[in-house]
Amino acid sequence: RSTCFFDCSSTVNELAKLITDQKFVAVTDTMWTAIELNKKENVSVIMLGGTVSKSTGSSAGTFAISMLEKMQPNYAFIGIPSITEDGVLSVSGLHDYEIKTTILKNTEHVFVLADSSKYKANRCFMKIGDLAHIDAVITDKDIDPEFEYLCKSSGCKLVIAQ
């Protein structure tokens, strides 16, 4: 069975709502996404442990990272608040940094979900990688045309969601 990681992004949570009843193991750091995926009959859900954030419902800290370091998901879906003009992916907090860098290191295929407003957004505090580290960016039809070239030159596929 395939294993998929879903991070604490609200966009990723929306993806979880759209998933049909396919058979796979879902790993998440977010209770809202865990609840959503647990409604699917054939999806087995693993929730990372740790301290739970009141604002995001996501778990963080040593326990969450320790669990995640032992896993090697086939796929990961992560949200990103900033993709710069040179393809740098960055986040603003330590929790996001730790989870996302661990996922980039341990996952076979990584997909970034980011609406067009995230491209050329202000660079966030912590760099987690760049477009060359991910398989695809899934975004909306309003994305800047030069972003397609940036993805292609980085070896990253661009998917326009409907």
Side-chain angles (χ1 to χ4, degrees):
R1 274 209 283 194
S2 290
T3 306
C4 301
F5 177 80
F6 296 81
D7 85 346
C8 66
S9 134
S10 59
T11 308
V12 171
N13 187 56
E14 291 302 313
L15 171 67
K17 293 176 183 177
L18 297 173
I19 291 175
T20 58
D21 204 23
Q22 300 171 34
K23 195 171 191 170
F24 67 96
V25 175
V27 178
T28 186
D29 61 343
T30 312
M31 79 170 101
W32 317 125
T33 303
I35 290 167
E36 194 60 47
L37 291 167
N38 205 46
K39 295 175 185 175
K40 320 292 183 186
E41 188 175 324
N42 290 317
V43 177
S44 298
V45 179
I46 298 171
M47 173 80 188
L48 297 182
T51 305
V52 177
S53 164
K54 294 208 182 291
S55 62
T56 64
S58 61
S59 54
T62 305
F63 292 120
I65 296 303
S66 178
M67 287 180 73
L68 200 52
E69 285 175 336
K70 292 171 179 57
M71 298 178 187
Q72 295 182 329
N74 302 104
Y75 307 97
F77 298 96
I78 63 173
I80 293 289
S82 172
I83 303 173
T84 63
E85 291 179 27
D86 55 351
V88 171
L89 308 171
S90 60
V91 296
S92 55
L94 183 59
H95 163 69
D96 274 352
Y97 174 81
E98 290 177 324
I99 293 287
K100 288 175 182 12
T101 55
T102 303
I103 279 299
L104 284 173
K105 186 172 39 174
N106 291 353
T107 305
E108 193 175 351
H109 301 287
V110 178
F111 303 94
V112 167
L113 280 67
D115 65 65
S116 56
S117 71
K118 307 301 191 222
Y119 178 57
K120 294 186 182 178
N122 290 333
R123 186 181 300 251
C124 291
F125 178 59
M126 304 181 101
K127 175 183 176 179
I128 65 157
D130 55 44
L131 289 174
H133 294 111
I134 60 171
D135 292 273
V137 174
I138 302 167
T139 190
D140 59 77
K141 63 179 175 43
D142 296 327
I143 192 69
D144 188 318
E146 66 186 46
F147 186 68
E148 183 175 2
Y149 174 77
L150 181 61
C151 285
K152 191 176 282 187
S153 66
S154 300
C156 172
K157 187 176 179 183
L158 179 63
V159 178
I160 306 297
Q162 300 300 319

